[in-house]
Amino acid sequence: MNKKRIKVGLFIPCYINQLYPQVGIATLELLEKLDVDVVYPQGQTCCGQPLGNSGYEEDSKGICNHFVENFKTYDFIVGPSGSCIYHIKQHFDILEQTPEVQKVRANAYELCEFIVKILGKTDLGASFPYKVGLHKSCHGLRGLKLGSCSEVQGEHYSTEEDLLSCVKGLELMSLNRKDECCGFGGTFAVFEEAISAKMGKDRVQDHLDSDVEVLTGADHSCLMHLEGIVNRNKQPLKVMHIAEILNSTL
């Protein structure tokens, strides 16, 4: 008897859809390689995070309900963004907790967490012969618990490191401040741009000081912030989402 394939609703956040479509494509290809039945709901829009983070949760209810309607039939919702997935899991509490809402909240997963915890895989057959620095975004690390935090004593773990350590040829470089915030913070980067930019510059410099060639992470909003700093200062760093590396066969 054939085993039933997991049916996944692929959630591609707004900024990836508009600015980094290659990340969405890499996520889709990666999930298909893992023998997952992937569907991209055509009616999907924003998850509501920008409104929620700006204090307009009530105004975001329509967007949140629309998200639920688009994804309520899937076994899992998977997206290449820790911050958006965290918003769905934690902040859809503003909605009436119908069975559909509860199902969507419980079954929404960031890409790396889904691969490691649900599919039970770490070696994806990828190869990427570069020195890589991993940026651990706050929502994924401290919200979704994708890894251990430096400020908390306990056993070290990281879903992202588990995956990257299995990529052939990849050398994961050790940073001086392994899980410091990059300063993006969504609208924080708009309202407190000076602080945001300085925090981002510090993170970029840490990667440069650690001989990193490619800066990666699981949340492209943070990577977008860091890439902007790299490009403006013409610094020798390439920025790639972790999905692109895990999907690579260089």
PDB file of all heavy atoms in Angstrom, residues 69 158 216:
ATOM      1  N   GLU A  69      -8.632  31.084   5.315  1.00  0.00           N
ATOM      2  CA  GLU A  69      -9.479  30.536   4.252  1.00  0.00           C
ATOM      3  C   GLU A  69      -8.640  29.890   3.149  1.00  0.00           C
ATOM      4  O   GLU A  69      -9.016  28.863   2.585  1.00  0.00           O
ATOM      5  CB  GLU A  69     -10.353  31.644   3.643  1.00  0.00           C
ATOM      6  CG  GLU A  69     -11.575  31.989   4.467  1.00  0.00           C
ATOM      7  CD  GLU A  69     -12.489  30.791   4.660  1.00  0.00           C
ATOM      8  OE1 GLU A  69     -12.867  30.152   3.648  1.00  0.00           O
ATOM      9  OE2 GLU A  69     -12.821  30.471   5.824  1.00  0.00           O
ATOM     10  N   SER A 158      20.352  23.712  17.017  1.00  0.00           N
ATOM     11  CA  SER A 158      19.981  24.623  15.932  1.00  0.00           C
ATOM     12  C   SER A 158      19.535  23.828  14.719  1.00  0.00           C
ATOM     13  O   SER A 158      20.314  23.048  14.170  1.00  0.00           O
ATOM     14  CB  SER A 158      21.171  25.518  15.548  1.00  0.00           C
ATOM     15  OG  SER A 158      20.902  26.230  14.352  1.00  0.00           O
ATOM     16  N   THR A 216      23.963  33.854   5.267  1.00  0.00           N
ATOM     17  CA  THR A 216      22.663  33.231   5.049  1.00  0.00           C
ATOM     18  C   THR A 216      21.810  33.282   6.305  1.00  0.00           C
ATOM     19  O   THR A 216      22.273  33.640   7.386  1.00  0.00           O
ATOM     20  CB  THR A 216      22.815  31.772   4.573  1.00  0.00           C
ATOM     21  OG1 THR A 216      21.561  31.310   4.067  1.00  0.00           O
ATOM     22  CG2 THR A 216      23.257  30.857   5.708  1.00  0.00           C
TER      23      THR A 216
END
